[in-house]
Amino acid sequence: MIVTPALRHATAGAAVLLFVLSVPTTAASAPVAPASPASAASAASAASSVAEPTPPARSFVDPARLDRSGTQVQPLRGAPRLPSVSALSWVVADAGTGEVLAARDAHRPLPPASTLKTLFALTALPHHDGTERHTVSDAELTGIGEGSSLVGVKEGYTYTVSDLWNGVFLSSGNDAVHVLAAMNGGWESMTRQMQEKARALGARDTHVVSPDGYDAPGQVSSAYDLAVFGRAGLQDPRFTRYCSTRYADFPAGSSSFGIANTNRLLTGADGVSRYPGLLGIKNGYTSNAGNTLVVGARRGARTLVVSVMNPQGGGGLAVYEEARELLDWGFDAAGRIQPVGSLKPAKAPRKEAPLPVRAAARNVTRAGAEAADATTPAAPVGHDRHQQATPSGKAAGLPLALVGSALGAALSLWLWRRFGARAD
């Protein structure tokens, strides 16, 4: 085959064009002078000055520690001595962080008495505005346990929802609980709702049978769960307002009468000194449960929650004095205690998609890749394909297309000159 000058020129032009197009367009147009050792050291120093500082090492908290029996505490240098209390079970925790500072038999299942009303309030409070008015029916007051504490709710009387909550928190009124439960789906429905709420909060020891806390077979909670409920309640302004109210007027038809909170640490009744900064929460008592108590207190920017279940000595008021000692210890131990657990629910592990779903996703990805231009390189994860210096996709095939076109044009010109002229 004779190569004409036209073909040689076309081939040379195509080669030049190929060389030009193969040069990356992102190359720097001006030469960069090599950095001197001094400037390199200066750049390294500047980079290190703006880098994110290394966070302090986090102390390890054994998640199973609170499952152990006995007292759990990890004091640091200078920590105050933990008080000796007689309660079967107790917890001291930071209400802000959820850190458990110390505990004894935190998950021991015990009857909660009226401290279970904390869970009732967490479940039912969001459903009705405090100003809503409700007239009580006879059916709503049936089934109240014998010997229950009552606030004095009467059939046919009209109360605001706020009045009923005062009856729950201040007088521990089981009659008020029954009315509010009826307004929220009924007794059985409320039992199920409370159980679901407990699990959602990470409280695994609580089994609800009677929403008012009245003794019932199988009904238990734990010092850990009660601390969880108390902490959650303090995050709700309505809950906090009700549980920290010392005195209120309760309607009685055309008149009213005064009621006082039965939490002695809050009111200072019966010779129990009021605790500074106390936020209340809930106390309880039954012959089966003994005395139980959940309290919160604030000192400065710190809030603690303490739960105490069934003290074994000191009489009926010992639950308040033991809670006082544990609160004092918790505030004094600030910064000098390693936590032994947390009131926050454990995070659920991330679930992978089922194998058939993942296989289908891989097939779709593979099919898409096969349909793409074979010259397209894969983009790095997390980077935009358009930010790469290397040409990709159709852009990568552009030089070959131009060369092919140039060669085709040159060949056509040569054939025309050789054969087309003879045909004339």
Side-chain angles (χ1 to χ4, degrees):
M1 178 177 179
I2 301 175
V3 180
T4 65
L7 181 59
R8 287 198 298 270
H9 292 316
T11 305
V16 172
L17 182 61
L18 175 61
F19 172 77
V20 172
L21 291 175
S22 65
V23 177
T25 59
T26 57
S29 59
V32 178
S36 65
S39 62
S42 175
S45 174
S48 63
S49 66
V50 298
E52 186 178 70
T54 302
R58 299 183 64 181
S59 58
F60 173 73
V61 178
D62 182 359
R65 181 159 189 154
L66 291 179
D67 292 326
R68 302 173 189 169
S69 61
T71 300
Q72 305 299 322
V73 63
Q74 295 190 99
L76 302 176
R77 184 186 300 272
R81 185 176 180 179
L82 193 64
S84 177
V85 296
S86 68
L88 294 179
S89 178
W90 53 263
V91 163
V92 182
D94 188 305
T97 64
E99 292 177 342
V100 177
L101 308 182
R104 178 182 180 185
D105 293 339
H107 290 290
R108 180 175 179 174
L110 292 168
S114 285
T115 51
L116 192 63
K117 289 182 172 74
T118 56
L119 177 60
F120 173 73
L122 291 172
T123 307
L125 255 175
H127 298 161
H128 295 273
D129 186 83
T131 60
E132 181 181 336
R133 300 180 67 81
H134 178 77
T135 301
V136 176
S137 67
D138 179 65
E140 293 170 342
L141 296 176
T142 59
I144 298 175
E146 183 180 353
S148 290
S149 53
L150 306 172
V151 65
V153 176
K154 302 296 183 183
E155 174 195 354
Y157 284 22
T158 299
Y159 304 90
T160 65
V161 169
S162 182
D163 292 330
L164 295 172
W165 281 117
N166 280 334
V168 171
F169 278 98
L170 278 67
S171 298
S172 203
N174 287 1
D175 47 357
V177 172
H178 273 253
V179 174
L180 287 165
M183 296 173 63
N184 287 275
W187 200 247
E188 297 301 324
S189 174
M190 181 54 59
T191 301
R192 290 191 298 271
Q193 292 177 55
M194 289 173 63
Q195 195 68 67
E196 292 170 0
K197 183 67 173 180
R199 297 297 178 264
L201 292 170
R204 301 292 176 180
D205 307 319
T206 299
H207 180 222
V208 182
V209 178
S210 182
D212 54 5
Y214 191 80
D215 283 339
Q219 178 154 278
V220 293
S221 189
S222 67
Y224 178 89
D225 285 10
L226 294 180
V228 168
F229 303 151
R231 176 177 182 261
L234 293 180
Q235 295 172 358
D236 184 336
R238 293 169 300 175
F239 184 107
T240 305
R241 183 175 70 253
Y242 289 126
C243 78
S244 60
T245 298
R246 295 186 179 91
Y247 305 98
D249 289 329
F250 194 79
S254 59
S255 61
S256 63
F257 56 91
I259 56 175
N261 200 309
T262 55
N263 185 342
R264 275 73 165 182
L265 282 180
L266 187 65
T267 62
D270 299 327
V272 177
S273 299
R274 287 176 55 186
Y275 193 87
L278 197 81
L279 299 174
I281 302 186
K282 194 71 190 74
N283 58 311
Y285 172 80
T286 67
S287 56
N288 186 37
N291 286 281
T292 58
L293 178 66
V294 189
V295 291
R298 181 179 295 123
R299 185 177 295 178
R302 197 162 189 237
T303 302
L304 297 182
V305 60
V306 166
S307 56
V308 180
M309 301 190 76
N310 201 350
Q312 298 299 288
L317 301 179
V319 70
Y320 299 106
E321 299 306 331
E322 294 191 1
R324 182 195 307 277
E325 292 181 63
L326 292 172
L327 283 170
D328 285 343
W329 175 84
F331 284 120
D332 292 343
R336 294 180 287 178
I337 289 291
Q338 289 278 14
V340 294
S342 175
L343 298 180
K344 295 181 178 179
K347 292 183 178 179
R350 185 176 65 86
K351 295 182 179 179
E352 290 189 354
L355 287 176
V357 176
R358 282 184 275 163
R362 285 197 300 271
N363 292 336
V364 171
T365 303
R366 187 180 298 113
E370 292 172 352
D373 194 322
T375 62
T376 304
V381 175
H383 291 77
D384 192 325
R385 201 181 285 269
H386 297 291
Q387 294 177 352
Q388 301 181 65
T390 304
S392 60
K394 295 181 179 179
L398 182 60
L400 296 178
L402 291 175
V403 171
S405 299
L407 291 176
L411 182 60
S412 299
L413 179 62
W414 177 77
L415 291 173
W416 179 80
R417 286 184 176 179
R418 182 173 182 178
F419 299 106
R422 293 179 182 179
D424 291 337

